[in-house]
Amino acid sequence: SQQGEEDPQALSIQEGENATMNCSYKTSINNLQWYRQNSGRGLVHLILIRSNEREKHSGRLRVTLDTSKKSSSLLITASRAADTASYFCATEIIQGAQKLVFGQGTRLTINP
Amino acid sequence: GAGVSQSPSNKVTEKGKDVELRCDPISGHTALYWYRQRLGQGLEFLIYFQGNSAPDKSGLPSDRFSAERTGESVSTLTIQRTQQEDSAVYLCASSRGIGGTQYFGPGTRLTVL
């Protein structure tokens, strides 16, 4: 199964509401990153949280990391229609050469 | 340049043909990564370069796939004898060093007929 698994696979909410997406992983990590993808093309880096951090904020984004549960959450507050996209978590794993392992993503739809 | 660029943006080819995809990383970025993304799926790691060496080729799906990098510059991903299952978006990313934030290009959408 996947190193990173997002939950839910799809989320649809009204504009102005908060959106929460979760990510679980299996192996030890250096850091965990969240990316956003519009229209199935290039990804945009949103936020990086290191393994020794528990929470991080960036604008309307809040990320938490629980290494004991091997899970992370991404909260988008006061959602906007422009937040509609797919969101991926990516774990930078320790074993062997460092690389990012991506989950399958959460498709977020913000309804106006 | 300002960001990672990839070419072509779209490629349609016939089954059995070879294709070459190109990635120009951000200037000064020593690490370069290739990923494949099938429709509606997450990113599948293919290979990464540190400089022009490839310490991790574990993600290449078969021996039909190969990649090269010239110095700390452009990289090409070559798929020989393409199959319909190779149809996907191929994404390239670069980073200053190994680990940390990766900056992605817009991808090449490959369609094998």
Side-chain angles (χ1 to χ4, degrees):
Chain A
S1 59
Q2 297 289 329
Q3 157 71 349
E5 295 187 2
E6 281 98 337
D7 166 55
Q9 292 186 346
L11 179 62
S12 181
I13 61 174
Q14 295 300 120
E15 195 167 18
E17 294 180 340
N18 296 342
T20 300
M21 290 161 273
N22 303 297
C23 170
S24 60
Y25 59 92
K26 298 184 186 305
T27 64
S28 296
I29 61 172
N30 286 329
N31 62 64
L32 185 145
Q33 305 178 32
W34 285 89
Y35 287 81
R36 165 186 159 147
Q37 184 179 40
N38 290 81
S39 306
R41 299 303 287 259
L43 275 73
V44 174
H45 180 260
L46 295 176
I47 197 165
L48 179 154
I49 185 165
R50 302 189 188 285
S51 60
N52 61 354
E53 297 177 309
R54 292 296 167 258
E55 187 170 313
K56 204 160 184 180
H57 296 254
S58 177
R60 293 184 296 113
L61 305 180
R62 181 169 77 93
V63 169
T64 62
L65 178 64
D66 186 336
T67 53
S68 66
K69 295 181 180 178
K70 292 188 168 54
S71 67
S72 173
S73 67
L74 171 67
L75 169 67
I76 304 175
T77 60
S79 63
R80 305 168 181 168
D83 294 331
T84 295
S86 291
Y87 292 82
F88 294 89
C89 72
T91 50
E92 187 181 288
I93 60 176
I94 293 175
Q95 64 213 46
Q98 291 170 294
K99 63 185 182 186
L100 285 181
V101 180
F102 283 80
Q104 296 298 297
T106 293
R107 175 68 191 170
L108 175 65
T109 302
I110 307 299
N111 302 304
Chain B
V4 178
S5 60
Q6 292 186 245
S7 62
S9 57
N10 287 284
K11 175 72 177 178
V12 180
T13 189
E14 294 179 347
K15 178 180 174 181
K17 301 282 189 183
D18 297 351
V19 296
E20 193 171 276
L21 313 179
R22 177 188 170 107
C23 172
D24 282 276
I26 293 172
S27 178
H29 280 193
T30 60
L32 185 148
Y33 309 79
W34 283 99
Y35 297 89
R36 177 170 72 177
Q37 186 179 31
R38 293 201 168 101
L39 186 64
Q41 301 293 312
L43 275 70
E44 177 186 1
F45 170 83
L46 297 179
I47 187 171
Y48 93 91
F49 290 90
Q50 174 61 19
N52 62 4
S53 67
D56 190 344
K57 303 179 182 179
S58 62
L60 293 177
S62 74
D63 59 8
R64 296 187 295 105
F65 287 72
S66 62
E68 293 184 342
R69 188 180 185 195
T70 306
E72 294 185 351
S73 180
V74 63
S75 174
T76 55
L77 176 69
T78 301
I79 308 173
Q80 296 178 308
R81 306 181 302 281
T82 52
Q83 303 293 313
Q84 289 182 332
E85 68 209 37
D86 299 333
S87 295
V89 175
Y90 290 83
L91 291 158
C92 173
S94 69
S95 63
R96 284 196 177 84
I98 293 299
T101 301
Q102 294 185 16
Y103 298 85
F104 281 80
T108 293
R109 185 179 301 279
L110 174 66
T111 303
V112 181
L113 301 177

